[in-house]
Amino acid sequence: MHSLKKRRHGKKGWVALKLDMAKAYDRIEWSYLEVILRKFGFADQWIRWVMAYVTTVSFATVINGAKGDLFSPSRGIKQGSPLSPFLFILCVKGFHYLLQTVVSDGALHGVKIRQHCPAISYLFFADDSVLFWEATASGVMLLMRLCVNMRPPLGKW
């Protein structure tokens, strides 16, 4: 960040975007989880078990001490379950793969701190990530497509 802030030469602009994944457990789409499990080569029976485990949760509200109707979510994984961190890591690994693909294809250019250093495109931490790229309209559109839709560019993967 210091290097980006202190740059005074050149015509290129750079972007650093912090993605906070604090509520990510609640927002994982079940269809995405299933695709990730298939892409990593898990057996069909295992995928059916995991999806049944993830999708059979239900909740009820309590208002003034009275239990309300049951309702089922349409996405998310159970927090506190021993399986959930493993599933979350697989989903993040899928996002890592998508980012790695666009960087290796040259569609996204990372930031170089010094002339002979490798470019940095993304950093993953425990519950958030930071993405770095050259400030271009095509780069912004590509990252919006990846982050919002979790779809690879040009039909890859």
Side-chain angles (χ1 to χ4, degrees):
M1 295 306 291
H2 178 75
S3 174
L4 289 178
K5 193 174 183 179
K6 293 297 180 184
R7 289 183 185 217
R8 299 279 186 238
H9 61 281
K11 294 181 180 180
K12 290 183 181 179
W14 299 95
V15 176
L17 175 67
K18 180 182 177 279
L19 301 176
D20 186 8
M21 296 191 273
K23 302 228 184 257
Y25 273 73
D26 298 332
R27 297 189 177 157
I28 290 177
E29 296 286 339
W30 293 338
S31 59
Y32 176 74
L33 176 61
E34 186 173 0
V35 167
I36 288 296
L37 292 171
R38 292 197 188 289
K39 292 292 182 182
F40 281 109
F42 286 93
D44 287 338
Q45 181 62 43
W46 172 258
I47 294 171
R48 282 192 298 273
W49 287 338
V50 168
M51 295 311 296
Y53 175 74
V54 169
T55 60
T56 56
V57 66
S58 61
F59 301 101
T61 58
V62 177
I63 301 173
N64 296 330
K67 183 179 171 188
D69 294 333
L70 286 175
F71 65 95
S72 298
S74 59
R75 63 182 177 186
I77 53 179
K78 300 174 186 178
Q79 294 185 31
S81 164
L83 189 58
S84 294
F86 172 70
L87 297 175
F88 182 73
I89 288 169
L90 286 176
C91 290
V92 171
K93 185 68 177 167
F95 183 51
H96 161 78
Y97 180 80
L98 292 175
L99 287 171
Q100 192 175 31
T101 301
V102 297
V103 168
S104 65
D105 288 350
L108 194 68
H109 302 285
V111 175
K112 284 189 172 192
I113 304 301
R114 298 231 182 249
Q115 186 176 8
H116 299 291
C117 293
I120 301 170
S121 302
Y122 52 90
L123 299 171
F124 287 149
F125 300 100
D127 63 348
D128 47 33
S129 9
V130 182
L131 310 177
F132 303 95
W133 74 94
E134 186 178 341
T136 62
S138 61
V140 170
M141 296 304 291
L142 177 61
L143 278 171
M144 281 179 52
R145 184 170 180 208
L146 286 178
C147 292
V148 174
N149 300 321
M150 294 300 285
R151 302 279 190 274
L154 307 174
K156 290 189 177 188
W157 202 41

